[in-house]
Amino acid sequence: MADTVREIERKYEVDDDAQLPDLAGAGRVATVGQAVTEDLDALYYDTPDQRLAADHITLRRRTGGKDAGWHLKLPVAPGVRDEVRAPLSDAPPPELTALVRSRVLDREPVPLVRLRTRRMVRVLRDAAGTPLAELAVDEVRARRAGESATAGAGPAEARWREIEVELLGDGDPAVLDEVGRALVAAGARPAAAESKLARALAETGLDRDRPAPPGAGPDAPRPRSSGRRGGRGNGKAKAKSKAKSKSKAKGAGKKQAPTAGDVVLRYVHEQVRVIIELDPAVRRDLPDSVHRMRVATRRLRSVFRSYTKVLDRAVTLPIGLELKWLAAELGVDRDREVLTARLQSALAEVPRTLRLGPVAARLRIWSERRRAGSRREVLSVLDGPRYLSLLKSLDALLEAPPLRPGADRPAPEIVGAAVLKDYRRLARRVEAALAAPAGRKRDEALHGARKAAKRTRYAAEAARPALGRPAKKFARRIKRVQQLLGDHQDSVVARGALRELATQAHKAGEGGFTFGLLHGREEARAADRERELPRLWKKVSRRKHRAALRP
């Protein structure tokens, strides 16, 4: 069974002959404990192309010290990491390798670097004797492991000395700053490398062999049209390329205006990164992780559909279908969370005199049963071959984006037109929903309008680097429509759940009055949203709001 420890620390470089200053009196530190010596031996694992290191993740097997075992360190914030621990074993434990699957895909982590450390540990305490932080002076010896040691990329071994100050318990991180100021005043330097592994890779030359990650962001060299289906006009493109190369000298030093491909790929890259980074959070059942991952899948699928002049639909369509599948699988758990919270909140507003029967207990049992099944299903999906295939498809997409000729056009021209096209689609759906007869047909039409609002909003979000504040404001206005329609749809779903709960209560011989009362309130809430929609849409759909988006 894996345990997780939040690690908050600061690292400092020191010379070999540097003396540790007396830290008593450094801020809240009153006493410094006697030094305890530990000999640590750690073997760090990664893929040959160092996918974990590229994402600032470490996986190691360490012996010696009080926490011997397997450690997986996941970044949380600068200087803050979650260390997931598992008992010693010969091979990386499945509970840890599952947490890095979205990074390594089907590659097997192998030993890359071995670090042997002689550690001198002292506990820093306040005047009351409460432990504040642990200070460790480390003498480190790093060596490339296995075949890498003969690769000739650099020295096989590196040595250095460093200081780590780690917060203990739930203490105040400001303690680390207080101690850090005393160390710097004595000649220590904030570490240039974020971890021992990062320094070991650099000083043994292994980091030179690390390839740039796929889709390395907006500063990476700009990909050009792939020449796949939809890439017409390649002869003209070659002529343009020659003309551009001739004008490079004239335009040297001038910053290139972003193309539509730059803007769209930046957004695609961001959403893929969110999916990859949230994978371990979903597996660990961290708050809001399922929701955020689901939103990223929807945003990515939406941008594929909105920007067909930039990305080849023949390539993105099958990926989009798999993203739709993943969002649906993640939605089982997320929808349960949202629905349960809505019903619990509504029940809390009902006077006690009108809560007839064990309605709160029935709601809780109903939710817990659904959660147990949905949680197992989500983990099964993340461990399955279909999800792995989707991750590999996204990896390949970033490696070789299927760009169409429109990708080389000025960004405002292409992205502005795409946002307006999605807006017109939304307008048609809103008008159809307002004209639909009350009841099921209107509910379905409003739900369709909600989906169109999401797509328009995400298209506008992606366009912000090119269109600036007008796109930001437009997305915010469309979000208001989406939220209203979302509340209406949540009411539709809640009424279905309340009918189910009332039926269960009736079969158990309990009264269904309270569930019927809640059902009636949900009907009234939905009616309010339907009356509010025309007024909101009139404000949002003003022509002036769209004028700044026009190319």
Side-chain angles (χ1 to χ4, degrees), residues 191-511:
E194 64 181 14
S195 66
K196 286 183 174 65
L197 175 62
R199 182 164 182 174
L201 292 174
E203 297 205 6
T204 60
L206 282 169
D207 65 339
R208 300 172 198 166
D209 297 329
R210 184 192 308 166
D219 296 327
R222 183 183 305 160
R224 291 299 174 193
S225 302
S226 63
R228 298 185 186 181
R229 178 181 165 185
R232 294 175 295 168
N234 285 336
K236 292 181 180 179
K238 288 180 181 178
K240 284 183 181 179
S241 178
K242 288 181 180 179
K244 285 180 182 178
S245 63
K246 288 180 180 178
S247 64
K248 265 188 179 179
K250 295 181 181 178
K254 292 184 180 179
K255 189 175 181 180
Q256 267 193 321
T259 65
D262 293 330
V263 171
V264 173
L265 284 179
R266 177 190 295 233
Y267 193 78
V268 169
H269 176 78
E270 288 173 355
Q271 304 316 313
V272 173
R273 293 306 307 165
V274 170
I275 294 171
I276 291 170
E277 291 172 1
L278 284 174
D279 176 290
V282 171
R283 293 175 185 271
R284 296 166 61 199
D285 201 19
L286 297 186
D288 207 36
S289 57
V290 170
H291 170 60
R292 290 165 57 207
M293 188 174 183
R294 187 186 186 194
V295 169
T297 64
R298 286 176 164 174
R299 282 185 164 129
L300 187 55
R301 179 170 176 252
S302 180
V303 82
F304 286 165
R305 301 168 75 187
S306 296
Y307 292 101
T308 54
K309 289 188 176 181
V310 176
L311 296 172
D312 187 354
R313 187 74 171 141
V315 177
T316 61
L317 177 60
I319 299 176
L321 292 175
E322 290 303 281
L323 289 168
K324 181 180 180 181
W325 159 78
L326 178 59
E329 295 291 346
L330 293 171
V332 173
D333 199 42
R334 171 61 182 173
D335 290 346
R336 179 204 57 79
E337 288 179 359
V338 172
L339 179 57
T340 300
R342 186 183 184 99
L343 296 180
Q344 288 175 338
S345 177
L347 182 59
E349 295 174 359
V350 175
R352 289 187 177 275
T353 55
L354 298 181
R355 297 184 207 172
L356 305 183
V359 289
R362 179 158 296 283
L363 175 57
R364 183 180 64 256
I365 293 170
W366 173 83
S367 176
E368 289 175 352
R369 284 176 177 170
R370 288 164 65 100
R371 170 175 168 73
S374 62
R375 176 69 184 156
R376 286 193 299 269
E377 182 61 28
V378 166
L379 292 176
S380 175
V381 165
L382 297 185
D383 288 333
R386 186 172 180 178
Y387 173 65
L388 177 61
S389 178
L390 171 58
L391 290 176
K392 293 169 77 171
S393 296
L394 294 174
D395 191 65
L397 179 79
L398 296 181
E399 183 69 34
L403 298 180
R404 299 195 64 208
D408 286 331
R409 302 282 293 278
E413 172 188 339
I414 297 295
V415 301
V419 175
L420 291 173
K421 181 180 179 182
D422 281 343
Y423 166 80
R424 290 191 292 271
R425 178 172 172 270
L426 167 61
R428 290 193 297 270
R429 291 200 177 188
V430 170
E431 291 165 4
L434 293 174
R440 183 175 178 179
K441 285 188 176 181
R442 182 180 294 173
D443 290 343
E444 291 175 350
L446 290 170
H447 186 42
R450 179 197 183 193
K451 293 179 180 179
K454 283 185 179 181
R455 177 167 160 179
T456 306
R457 173 191 164 194
Y458 296 154
E461 288 178 351
R464 278 184 60 184
L467 302 179
R469 285 181 60 82
K472 180 180 180 180
K473 290 182 178 180
F474 187 78
R476 188 165 60 235
R477 293 186 183 99
I478 297 299
K479 183 179 179 180
R480 291 171 58 196
V481 176
Q482 176 193 328
Q483 289 174 330
L484 184 147
L485 295 171
D487 191 37
H488 183 278
Q489 176 62 18
D490 288 347
S491 176
V492 173
V493 175
R495 278 177 272 159
L498 288 167
R499 285 193 295 271
E500 180 183 340
L501 285 163
T503 300
Q504 293 176 1
H506 176 74
K507 290 180 179 179
E510 302 163 5

Side-chain angles (χ1 to χ4, degrees), residues 11 114 455:
K11 291 180 177 290
R114 185 175 189 177
R455 177 167 160 179

Side-chain angles (χ1 to χ4, degrees), residues 97-110:
T97 55
L99 296 177
V100 298
R101 192 186 193 208
S102 63
R103 266 84 172 193
V104 305
L105 303 178
D106 53 2
R107 298 165 175 83
E108 290 291 333
V110 296

Side-chain angles (χ1 to χ4, degrees), residues 57-139:
I57 294 172
T58 61
L59 174 62
R60 73 185 180 198
R61 181 187 188 276
R62 190 167 79 181
T63 57
K66 58 183 179 294
D67 60 349
W70 284 92
H71 304 156
L72 175 66
K73 297 194 178 189
L74 301 167
V76 176
V80 183
R81 294 187 290 182
D82 277 347
E83 182 175 280
V84 187
R85 300 173 177 175
L88 280 174
S89 59
D90 292 336
E95 58 264 42
L96 298 191
T97 55
L99 296 177
V100 298
R101 192 186 193 208
S102 63
R103 266 84 172 193
V104 305
L105 303 178
D106 53 2
R107 298 165 175 83
E108 290 291 333
V110 296
L112 283 189
V113 179
R114 185 175 189 177
L115 269 64
R116 289 192 171 111
T117 304
R118 168 62 62 92
R119 169 168 287 182
M120 303 287 287
V121 182
R122 295 172 174 84
V123 177
L124 310 181
R125 301 176 184 272
D126 65 13
T130 303
L132 298 173
E134 186 177 83
L135 183 139
V137 180
D138 293 339
E139 295 178 359

